[in-house]
Amino acid sequence: MELPNLSLARKRINKESKVINYQLDDKYQDLGKNKKYFIKTYGCQMNEHDSENIKGLLDSISYTETDNMEDADLIILNTCSIRENAHNKAFGMLGRIKHIKEKKKDLIVALCGCMAQEEVVVNEILTKHHHVNFIFGTHNLYDLPRLIYENTKKTNVCVYSKEGDIIENLPVKRVNDYKAYVNIIYGCDKFCTYCIVPYTRGRQRSREMSDIIDEVNDLVKNGYKEVTLLGQNVNAYGKDLPYGYDLADLLEAVSKTNIPRIRFITSHPWDFTDRMIDVIKQHDNIMPSIHLPIQSGSNKILKLMGRRYTKEDYKTLFDKLRNIKGMTITTDIIVGFPGETEEDFKETLDMVNYCKYDGAYTFIFSPRVGTPAAKLKDDVKLEEKEERLYRLNELINNYSLDSNKKMLDKEVSVLTEGYSNKEGMLYGYTENNKLVNFKGESNLIGKIVNVRITSAKSFSLDGELVE
Ligand code: 5AD
Ligand code: SF4
């Protein structure tokens, strides 16, 4: 048993992480023979990619995947803690699984991801959800075969609160054959006051550049067309390593591989350097689309959030990025942070009017246990928060539509990903990350094609293939 501990997770020690090469113990190889697993993933791309590693691990011990939960011998919930509704969804799912397990006593139920790192969650599971066989943390993915092997009736908890080392060569089963996620940095040291991530994902740890480049080269060899470099704050890449390289150097190195498309998420405005901007400008395979969370347009609220920039700093950076040809910029905004007045909120609307974002994710503040913001007096009424969210979304949607309309009649290059929800249509993404539906044959899936844009809606475009 290794239980999570929030105050330990808060501590940062100045120690380099060791790089460890994962190797499967032979005794686990046939654990999943003739057995099926089902995995449900909540939350961000980091979790999606963790699930790809979990699937890889399970395949390596002879399990096969099923998309029917009732059919599975092993169910894994890969959870998210970022806001309360993510919590509620996972607990709702645990309720459904309880009924399945009543009929199927041998079913193994496991929970992992960010909620596994939270003391309150683990305590609730230990007292109320005895049908969970084991809980494993975000630093313990590689332990999965052992936990299945040692499976006991009583809930086992294997959650390290302190981040461990960087594990290379974990098996991976990628969901997509053309686009791949590549982790470049784990954890986060920013400690924005509302955010639980620095506690659930631990200290900032960058992968070594050569390991990342090896992975990208491998993907190129296997026909991949796009990589997304992943991290909670990719712009801090390299700061924790002794080599002196940063995201600009990494982007330059990745651009020299033959991968046609490079993206990276998420960027914190604090760590964005002019050199990074130059590198993005100079390389055609670095895609012109950046996610740059602003969170609020009020300097008072930004300070309370611990964001380390003012709206003026943000504007300066924003303008430089907007100047890059074809660049689209999206953002995240939180409304109803404790202390946010109507005036503060109007400053956020002013920033949206200034930036005219191409898209945005908007949220109502959700207090997370253990974070400093959860201790602030939450003095904004729920109806007020909902009304602000509504007003904000109206404005954001107008700008998204404007941004899409600018694409009308243009010929753009699209990486075709698969069949669209619309009959007979395919879908894919433009270089600046806009979703396009167009008519085409299945042999185009996985290819980069030219499409002329014929119609623009708030959240997608329609187009025609240019032969
Ligand atoms: N409440 C509401 N939104 C949050 N986010 C992070 N933590 C919280 C919270 N406690 C939002 C931020 C972040 C995005 C991933 O989720 O906008 O950028
Ligand atoms: Fe959370 Fe801030 Fe880190 Fe993003 S940068 S993960 S919002 S602490």
mmCIF file of all heavy atoms in Angstrom, residues 65 79 88 108 110 112 132 134 155 184 186 420:
data_model
loop_
_atom_site.group_PDB
_atom_site.id
_atom_site.type_symbol
_atom_site.label_atom_id
_atom_site.label_comp_id
_atom_site.label_asym_id
_atom_site.label_seq_id
_atom_site.Cartn_x
_atom_site.Cartn_y
_atom_site.Cartn_z
ATOM 1 N N GLU A 65 -8.243 -5.779 -26.348
ATOM 2 C CA GLU A 65 -9.130 -4.669 -25.997
ATOM 3 C C GLU A 65 -10.559 -4.961 -26.432
ATOM 4 O O GLU A 65 -10.780 -5.586 -27.466
ATOM 5 C CB GLU A 65 -8.623 -3.387 -26.687
ATOM 6 C CG GLU A 65 -9.383 -2.163 -26.231
ATOM 7 C CD GLU A 65 -8.828 -0.858 -26.808
ATOM 8 O OE1 GLU A 65 -7.856 -0.893 -27.576
ATOM 9 O OE2 GLU A 65 -9.405 0.199 -26.466
ATOM 10 N N THR A 79 -8.694 8.700 -14.876
ATOM 11 C CA THR A 79 -9.518 9.823 -14.425
ATOM 12 C C THR A 79 -8.823 11.185 -14.483
ATOM 13 O O THR A 79 -7.606 11.274 -14.608
ATOM 14 C CB THR A 79 -9.928 9.576 -12.967
ATOM 15 O OG1 THR A 79 -8.722 9.518 -12.188
ATOM 16 C CG2 THR A 79 -10.719 8.295 -12.808
ATOM 17 N N ASN A 88 -17.234 13.855 -10.784
ATOM 18 C CA ASN A 88 -18.565 13.265 -10.686
ATOM 19 C C ASN A 88 -18.795 12.197 -11.746
ATOM 20 O O ASN A 88 -19.410 11.170 -11.482
ATOM 21 C CB ASN A 88 -19.636 14.360 -10.797
ATOM 22 C CG ASN A 88 -19.526 15.324 -9.630
ATOM 23 O OD1 ASN A 88 -18.855 15.025 -8.638
ATOM 24 N ND2 ASN A 88 -20.140 16.490 -9.752
ATOM 25 N N ILE A 108 -11.874 -7.497 -12.659
ATOM 26 C CA ILE A 108 -10.892 -6.629 -11.985
ATOM 27 C C ILE A 108 -11.217 -5.183 -12.341
ATOM 28 O O ILE A 108 -11.375 -4.849 -13.516
ATOM 29 C CB ILE A 108 -9.442 -6.961 -12.409
ATOM 30 C CG1 ILE A 108 -9.111 -8.422 -12.084
ATOM 31 C CG2 ILE A 108 -8.450 -6.025 -11.733
ATOM 32 C CD1 ILE A 108 -7.686 -8.823 -12.476
ATOM 33 N N ALA A 110 -9.995 -1.187 -11.859
ATOM 34 C CA ALA A 110 -8.863 -0.350 -11.432
ATOM 35 C C ALA A 110 -9.136 1.108 -11.758
ATOM 36 O O ALA A 110 -9.855 1.425 -12.699
ATOM 37 C CB ALA A 110 -7.590 -0.821 -12.133
ATOM 38 N N CYS A 112 -7.074 4.899 -12.202
ATOM 39 C CA CYS A 112 -5.770 5.563 -12.271
ATOM 40 C C CYS A 112 -5.968 7.004 -12.718
ATOM 41 O O CYS A 112 -7.082 7.505 -12.748
ATOM 42 C CB CYS A 112 -4.847 4.805 -13.225
ATOM 43 S SG CYS A 112 -5.413 4.818 -14.938
ATOM 44 N N VAL A 132 -13.479 -1.751 -6.129
ATOM 45 C CA VAL A 132 -12.264 -1.368 -6.855
ATOM 46 C C VAL A 132 -11.108 -2.242 -6.364
ATOM 47 O O VAL A 132 -10.807 -2.272 -5.168
ATOM 48 C CB VAL A 132 -11.936 0.133 -6.632
ATOM 49 C CG1 VAL A 132 -10.605 0.510 -7.273
ATOM 50 C CG2 VAL A 132 -13.067 1.008 -7.174
ATOM 51 N N PHE A 134 -7.766 -2.193 -7.464
ATOM 52 C CA PHE A 134 -6.564 -1.411 -7.165
ATOM 53 C C PHE A 134 -6.584 -0.029 -7.792
ATOM 54 O O PHE A 134 -7.316 0.232 -8.755
ATOM 55 C CB PHE A 134 -5.277 -2.175 -7.525
ATOM 56 C CG PHE A 134 -5.136 -2.563 -8.956
ATOM 57 C CD1 PHE A 134 -4.586 -1.695 -9.882
ATOM 58 C CD2 PHE A 134 -5.532 -3.837 -9.390
ATOM 59 C CE1 PHE A 134 -4.442 -2.060 -11.212
ATOM 60 C CE2 PHE A 134 -5.392 -4.210 -10.717
ATOM 61 C CZ PHE A 134 -4.848 -3.316 -11.630
ATOM 62 N N THR A 155 -8.923 -3.621 -1.649
ATOM 63 C CA THR A 155 -8.394 -2.599 -2.563
ATOM 64 C C THR A 155 -6.921 -2.296 -2.271
ATOM 65 O O THR A 155 -6.555 -1.945 -1.153
ATOM 66 C CB THR A 155 -9.208 -1.287 -2.437
ATOM 67 O OG1 THR A 155 -10.583 -1.602 -2.526
ATOM 68 C CG2 THR A 155 -8.804 -0.302 -3.521
ATOM 69 N N ILE A 184 6.937 15.476 -23.942
ATOM 70 C CA ILE A 184 8.275 16.072 -23.867
ATOM 71 C C ILE A 184 8.603 16.508 -22.441
ATOM 72 O O ILE A 184 9.753 16.568 -22.054
ATOM 73 C CB ILE A 184 8.470 17.242 -24.866
ATOM 74 C CG1 ILE A 184 7.537 18.419 -24.551
ATOM 75 C CG2 ILE A 184 8.269 16.768 -26.298
ATOM 76 C CD1 ILE A 184 7.947 19.694 -25.293
ATOM 77 N N TYR A 186 6.989 16.210 -18.283
ATOM 78 C CA TYR A 186 5.968 15.744 -17.342
ATOM 79 C C TYR A 186 5.847 16.764 -16.213
ATOM 80 O O TYR A 186 6.807 17.462 -15.896
ATOM 81 C CB TYR A 186 6.369 14.391 -16.736
ATOM 82 C CG TYR A 186 6.568 13.293 -17.758
ATOM 83 C CD1 TYR A 186 7.832 12.996 -18.251
ATOM 84 C CD2 TYR A 186 5.490 12.557 -18.239
ATOM 85 C CE1 TYR A 186 8.027 11.988 -19.185
ATOM 86 C CE2 TYR A 186 5.673 11.555 -19.179
ATOM 87 C CZ TYR A 186 6.933 11.273 -19.647
ATOM 88 O OH TYR A 186 7.113 10.281 -20.577
ATOM 89 N N SER A 420 -16.201 11.288 -41.657
ATOM 90 C CA SER A 420 -16.900 12.312 -40.889
ATOM 91 C C SER A 420 -18.247 11.756 -40.417
ATOM 92 O O SER A 420 -18.718 10.743 -40.919
ATOM 93 C CB SER A 420 -17.101 13.507 -41.807
ATOM 94 O OG SER A 420 -18.234 14.218 -41.466
#
